[in-house]
Amino acid sequence: MADTSLYERLRPIWERDPDRTLLEHPNGRPRTYRWLLERSARAARAIQEEGVPVGGRVAVQADKGEDLLAVYVGCLRAGAALLPLNPAATAEEVAYYLRDSRASLFLCQPERLEQMRAMAERCGVPAVESLAADGESGTFQQRLARTPADPGPVSLRPEATAAILYTSGTTGRPKGAMLTHRNLAANADALHDAWGWTRTDVLVHALPLFHIHGLFVAAGGVLRAGASMIFLPRFDPDAVIHAFRRATIFMGVPTMYHRLAAHPGLTSEACRGMRLFISGSAPLSVADFEAFRARTGHTILERYGMTETGMNLSNPLRGPRKPGSVGLPLAGVQVRLVDPETRRDVPPGEVGEIWLRGPNIFAGYFGAPEKTAEAFHEGWFRTGDLARRDGDGYYAIVGRLKDMVISGGLNVYPAEVEAVLDAIDGVEESAVVGVPDADLGERVAAAIVRCAWAAELTEERVITAARERLAPYKCPRTVRFLEALPRNAMGKVEKTRLREILAGA
């Protein structure tokens, strides 16, 4: 790998054909790589003029828009670390991120500028501007219109921090994972080869940009290949299926595939030019995997990644893609399955915690050396995710170590129970957690969303059906029917909230 910044590694790819379309808006002007080079140069200059030093942090809470990409690349050029934030985050949540990261510049939504400016001032952030999805009306964009291009990118080592992404905070206060230029470059290279990217690929981009999936995997894959994307403001099944006719790749979360599989417009003809469908950020149900294949003739490729690591495992581009599996290690990624108590490797077929090592592994948690030390053991990153490895070397995620239910001293893995519940006639989707129990310590509790036609599905019928396929200690003792499962912006079930809902059931 080149001993330089991510920007310097990608620039020759973009300059090879600068008039190639980078992104296409459904109802807007296409943007080329020449636009990205010029716009990011202005962004880099503006970031420097705002007083952000090399190594400083630029926090961005903005709606999805093309200038989010320009700011990201501008940060790479200026030697600043991008801190992307969920547009739905509250002022209180944003205040925590700004204080914890000690951001030098905060770009927010225009309609919240005055509120956020006052809050950011209390947090010690010296500069606050707005960034609008329309590419024009934000105060930072007005600044870009009068800012000359920078004289050139800052000279950086690959160990420099390129981005700080905050974890979801399901087990405590969110932690800022520092991803270096080397981390992002290594992951982009591995995925480029694993998924067969070429300059002729066109990605349907319907993911948010504040998350590693949408920014570094999806948009990052396009930027690494010098390819193009159809840039949708949000996920809409009609718009996505319409875009498939001009595209080759789609990346989505399981909720998106669930909705697509139920859409009457999803046909093999609609997907005729597509070559690859990729799913991640949460487990894809076998039912949705099979339904999508039946409707389109395409087999979804599942993969496994984390905020701290980017992508680690992937089903193969050529070769079997196993339902319920996240595949094999990517090039350069070393994987172990370890008994969390003995710290010994477990054999195939047994459950262990995933430990990782490789150039994609983050540099640590910002300002939290003790949390960083807890996350590593002798150079291996302890993910907290539990998995099994089969005889072919494929991995299947069975849950989080902290989500594992210990009922009467026996381990219950939620993913195993959820797979059984999802197969019951009338169950649209399910989620399983452990809730306190005076006798067992924890009991297995399930939340279920019924299919629209299954109003008569009862708790008794669910428990009876589960007992036919599961050992008694794994079966839910409590079932509650919900209109929808609580999910975060990336479609992951929020099990902390679910425990609160089910604890009193």
Side-chain angles (χ1 to χ4, degrees), residues 338-344 351-353 355 382 386 401:
V338 178
D339 183 309
E341 295 183 2
T342 66
R343 295 184 177 176
R344 294 178 180 173
V351 173
E353 182 186 9
W355 286 18
R382 305 171 59 181
L386 298 171
L401 182 60

Side-chain angles (χ1 to χ4, degrees), residues 67-92:
D67 274 332
L68 260 172
L69 289 177
V71 169
Y72 164 51
V73 177
C75 285
L76 295 178
R77 297 179 70 143
L82 178 71
L83 177 62
L85 301 176
N86 188 336
T90 66
E92 181 180 351

Side-chain angles (χ1 to χ4, degrees), residues 338-342 346 350-353 386-388 398-417 432-434 440 442-444 470-475:
V338 178
D339 183 309
E341 295 183 2
T342 66
V346 302
E350 292 191 15
V351 173
E353 182 186 9
L386 298 171
R388 285 191 184 93
V398 302
R400 289 283 295 168
L401 182 60
K402 290 186 170 110
D403 288 339
M404 183 176 70
V405 183
I406 304 177
S407 184
L410 299 171
N411 294 345
V412 180
Y413 303 106
E416 180 182 9
V417 182
V432 168
V433 295
L440 299 169
E442 285 185 302
R443 69 178 184 274
V444 179
L470 292 169
Y473 73 92
K474 297 179 182 179
C475 290

Side-chain angles (χ1 to χ4, degrees), residues 433-445 478 499-500 502-505:
V433 295
V435 297
D437 185 275
D439 181 39
L440 299 169
E442 285 185 302
R443 69 178 184 274
V444 179
T478 303
R499 286 189 195 92
E500 295 172 356
L502 296 182

Side-chain angles (χ1 to χ4, degrees), residues 52-112:
V52 181
V54 174
R57 275 72 63 195
V58 176
V60 182
Q61 186 191 38
D63 296 321
K64 184 176 180 180
E66 61 187 28
D67 274 332
L68 260 172
L69 289 177
V71 169
Y72 164 51
V73 177
C75 285
L76 295 178
R77 297 179 70 143
L82 178 71
L83 177 62
L85 301 176
N86 188 336
T90 66
E92 181 180 351
E93 291 169 323
V94 172
Y96 168 77
Y97 300 132
L98 295 181
R99 288 194 186 98
D100 190 71
S101 67
R102 301 191 289 278
S104 298
L105 169 64
F106 177 38
L107 304 179
C108 68
Q109 296 147 309
E111 63 272 19
R112 302 176 77 185

